Amino acid sequence: RRRMMDMLEFLNEFQLEAGEKLDIMASQLLRLERDATNPAPVREMFLAAHTIKGGAAMLRLTDVEGLAHAVEDLLSTFRDNVRTLEPATADLLFQSIDQLRGLVGAASADSVGAEPDPAIERFAARLRGAPVSVEPTPEPPPSGTRRALVVDDSATVRELHRMILEDAGYDVLTCEDGQAARQ
């Protein structure tokens, strides 16, 4: 009984820390998208993924550990200057953060030592084979044209932001997810 209480306590601490690390990863990925030449965001994301991977390994949360390891491997290619961030890979990293957040949040005593989920393994494999090619940068709008893209899964949030931006003089497009935004 005491051992189960300790495990649940460790699991709770891991979930709190992993949530903080995932927040760091998301904010640093946004930072990296703005300046792909700055090594600091990659370093911060790598350390956060490494911490999550280590905690998951200690608790034997196989899906979290495997996915965090795949993220860490991908980030090491940026750290080692093997590649730079392109939009498709940024999307995969954002999806990874979302996947990890869901896995961490759902972790329970039943998750400890569980067999890896094939869907998570396939997703991790996608990270390892993430596209390397650099997509061409779209032409900027003509001088003086102010455009904004609002992406959110909530129709209410999209509409609110659209109205605010249009009132500020922007030409606004809205989408409900990243996939639609890229089209």
Side-chain angles (χ1 to χ4, degrees):
R1 173 126 171 96
R2 174 74 178 146
R3 185 176 168 108
M4 180 57 98
M5 292 298 289
D6 288 343
M7 175 60 74
L8 293 175
E9 217 174 288
F10 286 134
L11 183 59
N12 186 47
E13 286 297 317
F14 169 75
Q15 288 172 311
L16 290 172
E17 182 180 27
E20 292 169 2
K21 297 301 181 186
L22 289 165
D23 290 343
I24 289 169
M25 288 175 68
S27 68
Q28 293 304 311
L29 183 52
L30 290 170
R31 191 171 156 209
L32 183 62
E33 282 187 309
R34 287 191 305 269
D35 181 6
T37 63
N38 185 350
V42 172
R43 184 176 53 252
E44 293 298 317
M45 289 172 21
F46 183 88
L47 290 172
H50 185 73
T51 300
I52 293 168
K53 180 186 80 173
M58 181 185 74
L59 289 167
R60 298 182 318 132
L61 298 171
T62 54
D63 287 336
V64 176
E65 179 187 3
L67 185 52
H69 188 82
V71 169
E72 187 183 48
D73 288 347
L74 178 57
L75 291 170
S76 71
T77 65
F78 300 131
R79 184 193 61 199
D80 300 339
N81 296 314
V82 171
R83 66 191 305 171
T84 57
L85 186 69
E86 68 277 344
T89 305
D91 288 346
L92 276 175
L93 284 167
F94 278 119
Q95 290 172 27
S96 299
I97 292 166
D98 291 343
Q99 287 270 346
L100 283 167
R101 200 175 296 281
L103 290 170
V104 166
S108 67
D110 295 335
S111 307
V112 173
E115 288 295 314
D117 180 339
I120 300 300
E121 289 182 319
R122 285 190 300 275
F123 186 80
R126 282 182 58 206
L127 284 173
R128 290 186 176 94
V132 178
S133 63
V134 176
E135 295 180 15
T137 304
E139 289 294 317
S143 182
T145 302
R146 295 170 56 182
R147 301 169 93 186
L149 174 63
V150 176
V151 181
D152 199 287
D153 61 349
S154 166
T156 304
V157 171
R158 284 193 312 269
E159 182 63 14
L160 175 64
H161 283 93
R162 183 192 60 74
M163 291 176 1
I164 291 169
L165 288 165
E166 283 180 349
D167 287 348
Y170 285 84
D171 180 23
V172 181
L173 296 172
T174 63
C175 299
E176 67 182 60
D177 59 34
Q179 185 72 18
R182 288 193 348 220
Q183 296 174 352

